[in-house]
Amino acid sequence: MRTGQDRGVTEVVTNTAPPLRDEAAAAATAAATASGVEVRTLAEVADLTAVTRLFESIWRPAPGNQPVTSELLRAMVSAGNYVAGAFDGPELLGACFGFFGGPAKGGLHSHIAGVATAGHGRGIGFALKLHQRAWALRQDVPVISWTFDPLVRRNAHFNLTKLAARPEQYLPDFYGPMHDGINGAGDTDRIMAVWDLASPAVRSAAEGSPAPFDAAALRRQGAAVALAADAGGGPVTGPADAPVVLVAVPADIEALRRADPGRGRAWRVALREVLGGLLAGGASVIGFDRAGWYVVAKEQSS
């Protein structure tokens, strides 16, 4: 889950009530226990160096293109920003790094987070994010933002369902070419997600009860399919002529990019036009079906 820079976050609510902070801390502890790790903030150079090595092993960047450096992390921690790691005994299995955005620490931007292959399937990413949420609430920070590749189905499900974050903006080619083992050399479109830490949806998700969406049921109720996969696995567009619109993504875009770069690029262009166009037109992504569908609500005219 690679993320990006803050653009200034939405409405700020300060002076978080202690009961919410306690609730968030308890949820973070429960998630860490369930995943068999200890999540803690990091400040020592040796730990920060281990974080940079972990990120390099996950993203496999081209030479000279490190995701972050230990020097940068050290400076960020010294300035009061967030770096945390998830440990199984002495082994670092996951890490997350974020920094404050304006105005006056009104939001935390989660720049990069990742879990080693050895830690997959254990819920470590969820534990890291809940630790980050609890940490932010202790600072009276009500919102965390981050970016994710909207073509990556598992990340969309994790961010929008498991965490109950909500997309705020579609950002075409946000980073430019990244030349790593995950992003390749194509355009780096991103969704800016905003996590309202005290919202009922987020509180429910943190307790392990996220709100699911059923695209098949929505289709039976009249939802329009604005983007789907054709018989060959390529993108095919349709009309977005209903109050609720469904937008598909492929099952595994990373494998598709390796096997068929042209088809991977076609999905990038189609999703940019359809989902990006809907968001630019005032629609809102209200959820994600794990089967691979963004659920979009169009703005209703009064």
Side-chain angles (χ1 to χ4, degrees):
M1 178 174 56
R2 180 70 179 266
T3 60
Q5 91 187 44
D6 203 349
R7 55 177 294 279
V9 195
T10 52
E11 182 181 0
V12 173
V13 181
T14 57
N15 298 319
T16 305
L20 178 58
R21 292 198 293 268
D22 294 343
E23 173 191 303
T29 298
T33 299
S35 62
V37 295
E38 178 194 2
V39 182
R40 61 177 185 267
T41 55
L42 306 176
E44 299 301 321
V45 171
D47 287 334
L48 300 176
T49 300
V51 170
T52 66
R53 290 172 179 164
L54 173 68
F55 289 157
E56 287 176 2
S57 73
I58 295 169
W59 275 272
R60 308 182 307 280
N65 191 34
Q66 282 181 280
V68 293
T69 65
S70 57
E71 294 86 358
L72 174 63
L73 293 180
R74 179 69 165 170
M76 285 289 186
V77 169
S78 296
N81 294 286
Y82 177 86
V83 181
F87 292 84
D88 186 348
E91 184 178 10
L92 178 66
L93 290 178
C96 186
F97 158 51
F99 50 83
F100 288 111
K105 294 188 177 181
L108 183 74
H109 188 80
S110 186
H111 176 60
I112 181 170
V115 175
T117 301
H120 287 181
R122 292 173 50 176
I124 294 173
F126 186 59
L128 279 165
K129 294 304 291 185
L130 292 196
H131 181 275
Q132 187 182 54
R133 173 177 179 253
W135 183 91
L137 287 171
R138 287 198 302 273
Q139 319 298 316
D140 282 328
V141 174
V143 176
I144 299 175
S145 65
W146 63 87
T147 66
F148 69 94
D149 185 342
L151 277 173
V152 180
R153 182 186 293 191
R154 67 180 184 278
N155 283 356
H157 176 262
F158 179 76
N159 292 323
L160 307 186
T161 301
K162 186 80 171 174
L163 297 177
R166 286 293 169 259
E168 185 178 78
Q169 191 177 10
Y170 191 100
L171 304 167
D173 201 21
F174 184 65
Y175 292 107
M178 296 183 72
H179 301 292
D180 61 35
I182 292 178
N183 295 284
D187 288 353
T188 52
D189 289 21
R190 294 293 184 264
I191 288 285
M192 181 68 76
V194 174
W195 206 21
D196 180 352
L197 305 183
S199 74
V202 171
R203 293 176 75 170
S204 181
E207 295 296 330
S209 300
F213 281 82
D214 185 339
L218 291 169
R219 289 182 72 173
R220 291 193 295 270
Q221 295 164 15
V225 178
L227 182 62
D230 63 21
V236 57
T237 59
D241 55 356
V244 176
V245 179
L246 302 175
V247 179
V249 292
D252 188 345
I253 187 61
E254 291 162 355
L256 182 61
R257 285 172 184 149
R258 293 190 295 269
D260 190 342
R263 189 167 293 172
R265 288 191 294 272
W267 271 104
R268 175 67 79 202
V269 171
L271 190 66
R272 180 186 295 175
E273 292 177 352
V274 175
L275 185 60
L278 284 165
L279 291 177
S284 301
V285 175
I286 58 173
F288 188 84
D289 182 338
R290 192 168 196 166
W293 300 92
Y294 287 95
V295 181
V296 182
K298 293 171 65 179
E299 186 174 350
Q300 299 295 300
S301 57
S302 57

